[in-house]
Amino acid sequence: MSKVVSGDADFGIVRIANPHPEGIKSITLGRDKILLAMSEDNPLSRRPKLRMEDLRDCPFVMIPRSESPFFRQLIESTCAEVGGFIPKVMREVFNFELILRLMPGSLDVSFVPALYNTDSISGVVFREVEGVGLYNSYSGLWRSENDSPTLVNFVKILSRRKNFK
């Protein structure tokens, strides 16, 4: 976002529809479900259904607040509002892939965007939590004063796309 604000970039893509500074416009490009990830050795992985309350005593691994304040706030507020608890954050790790690579064999749990649900990391299972609809949004940003014809046309094309969800 900082390169768009400074004028070094005409268009940027950010995860999570963050509040943005005055003079910045945005368009939602899509969204990705957020899933619970855990080791296949975690006893919770064998339950047919998981509820937020089931996570009350689990050790969490999370992205640091400084790295992604809106994602972190989304997870913490959902735990509090739906499950009635504050997550017990035992470790903070700066990216989702590393979180998943550290997970096999541990009791840790973490919420991660569904796009990380691939076969590339063995020993990790991904689950939806019953009654919780968490999504990670992706938005495009540009300066409202930028009247570049290429940018204007690009944003028009994006806004007509029906397959962005």
Side-chain angles (χ1 to χ4, degrees), residues 7-105:
D8 291 334
D10 289 331
F11 190 85
I13 297 175
V14 295
R15 190 181 354 189
I16 307 253
N18 300 340
H20 42 271
E22 190 173 323
I24 299 295
K25 289 187 175 183
S26 68
I27 183 171
T28 300
L29 301 174
R31 64 185 197 154
D32 190 22
K33 193 167 196 67
I34 297 172
L35 301 173
L36 182 70
M38 70 188 94
S39 170
E40 64 186 12
D41 299 328
N42 189 317
L44 290 177
S45 72
R46 294 183 278 287
R47 290 191 184 179
K49 293 183 180 180
L50 285 176
R51 297 171 306 145
M52 190 60 87
E53 300 83 36
D54 298 331
L55 308 178
R56 178 181 309 278
D57 296 320
C58 289
F60 276 76
V61 178
M62 294 180 101
I63 293 284
R65 189 176 272 85
S66 61
E67 184 70 17
S68 186
F70 298 98
F71 187 88
R72 179 76 176 251
Q73 178 61 36
L74 175 65
I75 300 307
E76 289 176 345
S77 64
T78 301
C79 288
E81 292 168 15
V82 178
F85 68 94
I86 303 296
K88 295 177 182 169
V89 180
M90 306 308 280
R91 288 191 284 180
E92 292 184 323
V93 178
F94 281 87
N95 68 59
F96 293 114
E97 187 172 336
L98 185 54
I99 287 173
L100 296 174
R101 292 205 179 279
L102 295 171
M103 198 158 278

Side-chain angles (χ1 to χ4, degrees), residues 25 55 64 83 108 125 127 165:
K25 289 187 175 183
L55 308 178
D108 297 339
V125 296
R127 303 283 296 281
K165 295 179 183 167

Side-chain angles (χ1 to χ4, degrees), residues 112-165:
V112 300
L115 66 90
Y116 290 94
N117 183 2
T118 67
D119 294 331
S120 66
I121 301 175
S122 63
V124 177
V125 296
F126 297 83
R127 303 283 296 281
E128 289 189 35
V129 177
E130 199 172 84
V132 177
L134 292 172
Y135 289 90
N136 194 23
S137 296
Y138 300 88
S139 297
L141 303 173
W142 68 97
R143 287 187 356 255
S144 55
E145 66 189 40
N146 188 337
D147 59 358
S148 159
T150 304
L151 176 64
V152 170
N153 286 329
F154 181 63
V155 171
K156 281 182 186 177
I157 290 167
L158 289 176
S159 60
R160 286 190 214 130
R161 301 272 318 235
K162 300 296 184 209
N163 58 347
F164 284 127
K165 295 179 183 167

